[in-house]
Amino acid sequence: MDVRARKALERIATMHGLSPEQTDALAAYAEVLLGWRKSNVTGLTDPVAVIDTLIGDSLALLDVPQLREHAGAALLDLGAGAGVPGIPLAVALSGVRITLLDAVAKKCDFMRAAVTATGLEGRASVICRRSERHSAVNSPGREAYAVVLARAVAQLAVLVELAAPLLATGGVLLASKTRTALREEGQAAAGTAERCGLRQEAPVPLAVSPLDQAVCAVFRKTEPCPDWLPRREGMAAKRPLAL
């Protein structure tokens, strides 16, 4: 890692009170991100951008009270892709267990390598499967998680529907969005939440400089999941419930 990137990482680590060991684990994660030659899993090649845009954005969620509320519980990163925000948060929150869920095999291969590089083997697992299968009735992921995380995966109404059968009652969906996206997607998401047993809570502003007006959208699971969820694969995006 070059000097600029290391300084950027140390600045972010200091901001969040991370230990030298945690900082080194995040550095190892960044190295895997930058050195993964099988495919570019992020679209980013600049080391400082990787630190600020991926690791910085992820750790900004540490300021969300609903995440701290479940700091020792089971988390799931929905559509985890490059392991963001799940892997940085698992490094920062030493008590959490996290499932990194994605349906794309090459992304799952990357995340397994990243889990090894960061020393998270005992607390992070990679599942290569669509969320509808993982959350189906009698599947191990159904209503199994206190927190579902999502970043740059889909529109908010889609995330609400997919998260509903994954969340335990009382659990929360935390979705990173810009204020513009939240304003455009919020009404449909609220309607979907009502049908899926979730309640929208006030969004939490995120102190993330690379993102314009970043916020965390919060939805809490208030009642058990209806038996008709999840719908068939892809239906959440093709035929939104709120329409």
Side-chain angles (χ1 to χ4, degrees):
M1 179 179 293
D2 66 28
V3 173
R4 293 181 310 123
R6 184 71 194 195
K7 286 184 177 179
L9 178 59
E10 290 176 351
R11 171 180 54 80
I12 291 170
T14 299
M15 182 188 310
H16 295 290
L18 303 187
S19 70
E21 292 77 16
Q22 289 170 313
T23 305
D24 288 343
L26 291 174
Y29 175 53
E31 294 285 4
V32 177
L33 279 167
L34 291 164
W36 194 251
R37 297 305 179 203
K38 297 179 182 180
S39 63
N40 189 328
V41 294
T42 70
L44 297 174
T45 57
D46 178 65
V48 174
V50 166
I51 299 299
D52 285 340
T53 305
L54 299 182
I55 294 177
D57 289 3
S58 299
L59 295 183
L61 291 168
L62 292 171
D63 293 330
V64 176
Q66 291 89 341
L67 179 61
R68 291 291 186 180
E69 172 189 338
H70 297 290
L75 279 58
L76 180 134
D77 189 344
L78 177 62
V84 178
I87 289 177
L89 288 175
V91 169
L93 297 170
S94 58
V96 306
R97 293 166 284 113
I98 190 157
T99 297
L100 304 163
L101 182 67
D102 203 284
V104 180
K106 64 182 181 180
K107 294 180 179 179
C108 294
D109 289 342
F110 166 79
M111 288 191 289
R112 292 185 184 101
V115 165
T116 299
T118 52
L120 291 173
E121 295 99 325
R123 296 193 292 112
S125 59
V126 177
I127 295 179
C128 200
R129 183 182 303 161
R130 288 195 60 113
S131 67
E132 295 95 335
R133 293 191 179 186
H134 189 54
S135 64
V137 175
N138 297 324
S139 293
R142 189 170 183 83
E143 298 187 311
Y145 302 98
V147 178
V148 170
L149 305 160
R151 178 186 181 275
V153 179
Q155 289 201 349
L156 196 51
V158 177
L159 294 176
V160 168
E161 179 177 341
L162 295 178
L166 292 163
L167 284 167
T169 301
V172 289
L173 165 65
L174 305 179
S176 299
K177 291 283 181 178
T178 64
R179 287 191 184 277
T180 299
L182 183 58
R183 185 167 55 251
E184 293 173 349
E185 301 171 16
Q187 184 175 355
T192 299
E194 186 175 352
R195 294 190 62 183
C196 294
L198 278 70
R199 181 187 70 243
Q200 188 171 16
E201 297 186 351
V204 180
L206 298 176
V208 182
S209 56
L211 282 181
D212 176 34
Q213 297 182 314
V215 297
C216 178
V218 181
F219 292 82
R220 188 176 296 273
K221 180 82 167 285
T222 56
E223 56 189 76
C225 187
D227 290 341
W228 52 268
L229 284 176
R231 292 190 287 165
R232 295 197 313 273
E233 293 180 15
M235 290 296 289
K238 291 178 183 177
R239 297 182 184 175
L241 289 172
L243 297 181

